[in-house]
Amino acid sequence: VGVVTARTFGAAGIIAVGSELLTPARRDTNSLFITEQLNAIGIDVVVKLIIGDDRAELAHAIKSVLARVDVLVLCGGLGPTEDDVTREVAAGVLGRELREQTDITGAIRSRFAERGMSMPEINRRQAMVPDGAAVLPNPNGTAPGLWIETDGRVVVLLPGPPRELEPMMRAVVATRLTGRVTGQPILRRLIRVTGRSESHVEDAIRPLYAVWRDGEVPIAATILAALGQIELHLSARAHDGVTASAMLDRAVAQVCALLGEDVYSTDGRTMEEVVGGLLADRAWHIGVAESCTGGLITSRLTDVTGSSRYVDYGIISYSNSAKTELLDVSPALIAEHGAVSEPVALAMAKGVLARSPTNVGIGVTGIAGPGGGTPDKPVGTVAIAVVIGDRIRSRTARFMGERTQVKFQASQAALDMLRRMIVAL
Ligand code: ATP
Ligand code: MG
């Protein structure tokens, strides 16, 4: 057994392989996961590329990235078909012979056999291993991954499907990479904010920047505007994880002190999870009457596991007659104020409560566009009402963007209004 001189790793590159990733049809998310995993042990990603299923392009990309990094992770293109070229191209660039490893062929054969199928001969390509490479088992698929050390650097090949790649990447990080890292892990926190623009968040927390920069463990902050919310990302490099974690917790508390109730999540939870938690804590039940959101609010609420504890029902009352028939909204009220109005939203929310012994009702009605706007009520106008027992709130909001964006922002605003009402009680 030869002793390999262990070199430490600081910089990584990622190449996502697949022609579909160069089309608008598919998004490369694997590189985000890989980056998160590498950052967590202190390896920085300094370059990432997306390359189609093209031998020449891929060979060029591998050479150029490998010249700049200690760790190169390739994902995708390990499949059995002719257009899956990663294995062969990587072996070619590194000057390694490919040989079939019969125990892998056997394992693939038995995977097929378990499903009552025989292995197509082309799958033998997935058993080809470059000389000197270590095989990374794939518990969720046929293509094993590969770990190839070369001149003190390492090239890692992983399959494209995320549910195959993710456990394999975790295993690589936990076993082969940990302990060979020069950098320090990066710890992160995510704070989610509503009710303020990106620049208002920035203005409010600006005094903290200097404090964070000069602290015992410097903290970096990034503000990202997302649909219906602002995200504040904090990160710290930690040679001492406990101290860094404590510093980040303190920074989160400082932000919360400045932004108050506008902060709705500091632990990664979504708005629907936060609202669901508030309802579950009180053993309350909610009914939702939706017009322009078309069921989105109810859908988001029911995205959360355990939501059956507090979601009673949702009604999509899109037409005026549905509002009247299902929720008892009077036609005269609609004629007087228009279907998109706070009185109608409120009547919808009350209609929900009248139908069942639910104690929380939401009513939302608006103009998602692109048609239907008037000078008085332009596209994006949404009336939202929340009723909790005998407490009532309503507001009219104006959202920007296209149809689906208006719908999402309306759902976010309605859930947020409910959240604020509950925490203020
Ligand atoms: P196999 O063909 O055996 O499934 P593979 O390694 O060849 O494995 P690909 O064919 O490249 O994998 O990709 C399979 C699927 O995995 C793609 O259709 C896509 O849905 C998903 N996928 C591939 N690369 C990525 C990526 N970078 N980010 C997110 N999803 C990806
Ligand atoms: Mg492919």
Side-chain angles (χ1 to χ4, degrees), residues 23 37 52 54 188 227 269-270 311 357:
T23 71
Q37 291 288 308
D54 180 298
R188 299 181 194 282
L227 203 57
R269 283 190 306 161
T270 59
V311 176

PDB file of all heavy atoms in Angstrom, residues 23 37 52 54 188 227 269-270 311 357:
ATOM      1  N   THR A  23     -30.458  24.774 -21.988  1.00  0.00           N
ATOM      2  CA  THR A  23     -31.740  25.219 -22.526  1.00  0.00           C
ATOM      3  C   THR A  23     -32.532  25.859 -21.395  1.00  0.00           C
ATOM      4  O   THR A  23     -32.196  25.686 -20.222  1.00  0.00           O
ATOM      5  CB  THR A  23     -32.558  24.032 -23.074  1.00  0.00           C
ATOM      6  OG1 THR A  23     -33.004  23.247 -21.959  1.00  0.00           O
ATOM      7  CG2 THR A  23     -31.730  23.171 -24.006  1.00  0.00           C
ATOM      8  N   GLN A  37     -22.340  22.256   0.288  1.00  0.00           N
ATOM      9  CA  GLN A  37     -21.603  21.189   0.961  1.00  0.00           C
ATOM     10  C   GLN A  37     -20.120  21.520   1.097  1.00  0.00           C
ATOM     11  O   GLN A  37     -19.517  21.286   2.136  1.00  0.00           O
ATOM     12  CB  GLN A  37     -21.771  19.877   0.179  1.00  0.00           C
ATOM     13  CG  GLN A  37     -23.171  19.301   0.243  1.00  0.00           C
ATOM     14  CD  GLN A  37     -23.458  18.740   1.616  1.00  0.00           C
ATOM     15  OE1 GLN A  37     -22.703  17.948   2.153  1.00  0.00           O
ATOM     16  NE2 GLN A  37     -24.551  19.184   2.219  1.00  0.00           N
ATOM     17  N   GLY A  52     -22.490  21.403 -22.336  1.00  0.00           N
ATOM     18  CA  GLY A  52     -23.394  20.444 -22.970  1.00  0.00           C
ATOM     19  C   GLY A  52     -22.745  19.074 -23.109  1.00  0.00           C
ATOM     20  O   GLY A  52     -21.588  18.872 -22.730  1.00  0.00           O
ATOM     21  N   ASP A  54     -20.901  17.365 -24.927  1.00  0.00           N
ATOM     22  CA  ASP A  54     -20.010  17.600 -26.073  1.00  0.00           C
ATOM     23  C   ASP A  54     -18.584  17.304 -25.620  1.00  0.00           C
ATOM     24  O   ASP A  54     -18.067  17.944 -24.708  1.00  0.00           O
ATOM     25  CB  ASP A  54     -20.161  19.066 -26.512  1.00  0.00           C
ATOM     26  CG  ASP A  54     -19.272  19.408 -27.693  1.00  0.00           C
ATOM     27  OD1 ASP A  54     -18.030  19.316 -27.562  1.00  0.00           O
ATOM     28  OD2 ASP A  54     -19.821  19.775 -28.747  1.00  0.00           O
ATOM     29  N   ARG A 188     -23.784  29.863   7.978  1.00  0.00           N
ATOM     30  CA  ARG A 188     -24.725  30.830   7.403  1.00  0.00           C
ATOM     31  C   ARG A 188     -25.994  30.938   8.230  1.00  0.00           C
ATOM     32  O   ARG A 188     -26.396  29.981   8.906  1.00  0.00           O
ATOM     33  CB  ARG A 188     -25.135  30.398   5.989  1.00  0.00           C
ATOM     34  CG  ARG A 188     -24.000  30.324   5.023  1.00  0.00           C
ATOM     35  CD  ARG A 188     -24.499  29.916   3.626  1.00  0.00           C
ATOM     36  NE  ARG A 188     -23.390  29.528   2.781  1.00  0.00           N
ATOM     37  CZ  ARG A 188     -22.572  30.396   2.184  1.00  0.00           C
ATOM     38  NH1 ARG A 188     -22.766  31.690   2.337  1.00  0.00           N
ATOM     39  NH2 ARG A 188     -21.572  29.977   1.440  1.00  0.00           N
ATOM     40  N   LEU A 227     -39.404  37.454  -4.380  1.00  0.00           N
ATOM     41  CA  LEU A 227     -40.798  37.817  -4.572  1.00  0.00           C
ATOM     42  C   LEU A 227     -41.534  37.808  -3.230  1.00  0.00           C
ATOM     43  O   LEU A 227     -41.543  36.804  -2.524  1.00  0.00           O
ATOM     44  CB  LEU A 227     -41.438  36.810  -5.531  1.00  0.00           C
ATOM     45  CG  LEU A 227     -42.677  37.263  -6.297  1.00  0.00           C
ATOM     46  CD1 LEU A 227     -42.406  38.513  -7.110  1.00  0.00           C
ATOM     47  CD2 LEU A 227     -43.145  36.136  -7.202  1.00  0.00           C
ATOM     48  N   ARG A 269     -37.583  28.735   7.970  1.00  0.00           N
ATOM     49  CA  ARG A 269     -38.981  28.383   7.712  1.00  0.00           C
ATOM     50  C   ARG A 269     -39.614  29.341   6.714  1.00  0.00           C
ATOM     51  O   ARG A 269     -39.316  30.529   6.681  1.00  0.00           O
ATOM     52  CB  ARG A 269     -39.783  28.381   9.017  1.00  0.00           C
ATOM     53  CG  ARG A 269     -39.512  27.127   9.846  1.00  0.00           C
ATOM     54  CD  ARG A 269     -40.475  27.023  11.004  1.00  0.00           C
ATOM     55  NE  ARG A 269     -40.454  28.234  11.813  1.00  0.00           N
ATOM     56  CZ  ARG A 269     -41.427  28.568  12.645  1.00  0.00           C
ATOM     57  NH1 ARG A 269     -42.501  27.801  12.777  1.00  0.00           N
ATOM     58  NH2 ARG A 269     -41.325  29.668  13.363  1.00  0.00           N
ATOM     59  N   THR A 270     -40.529  28.804   5.912  1.00  0.00           N
ATOM     60  CA  THR A 270     -41.269  29.619   4.954  1.00  0.00           C
ATOM     61  C   THR A 270     -42.429  30.318   5.666  1.00  0.00           C
ATOM     62  O   THR A 270     -42.769  29.980   6.804  1.00  0.00           O
ATOM     63  CB  THR A 270     -41.862  28.736   3.842  1.00  0.00           C
ATOM     64  OG1 THR A 270     -42.734  27.774   4.463  1.00  0.00           O
ATOM     65  CG2 THR A 270     -40.766  27.999   3.079  1.00  0.00           C
ATOM     66  N   VAL A 311     -55.780  23.420   8.869  1.00  0.00           N
ATOM     67  CA  VAL A 311     -56.470  23.860   7.649  1.00  0.00           C
ATOM     68  C   VAL A 311     -57.841  23.193   7.595  1.00  0.00           C
ATOM     69  O   VAL A 311     -57.946  21.967   7.599  1.00  0.00           O
ATOM     70  CB  VAL A 311     -55.669  23.511   6.375  1.00  0.00           C
ATOM     71  CG1 VAL A 311     -56.474  23.890   5.138  1.00  0.00           C
ATOM     72  CG2 VAL A 311     -54.334  24.237   6.370  1.00  0.00           C
ATOM     73  N   PRO A 357     -67.333  26.011  11.890  1.00  0.00           N
ATOM     74  CA  PRO A 357     -66.827  26.537  13.157  1.00  0.00           C
ATOM     75  C   PRO A 357     -65.334  26.878  13.134  1.00  0.00           C
ATOM     76  O   PRO A 357     -64.645  26.753  14.128  1.00  0.00           O
ATOM     77  CB  PRO A 357     -67.113  25.395  14.138  1.00  0.00           C
ATOM     78  CG  PRO A 357     -67.201  24.172  13.309  1.00  0.00           C
ATOM     79  CD  PRO A 357     -67.598  24.575  11.938  1.00  0.00           C
TER      80      PRO A 357
END
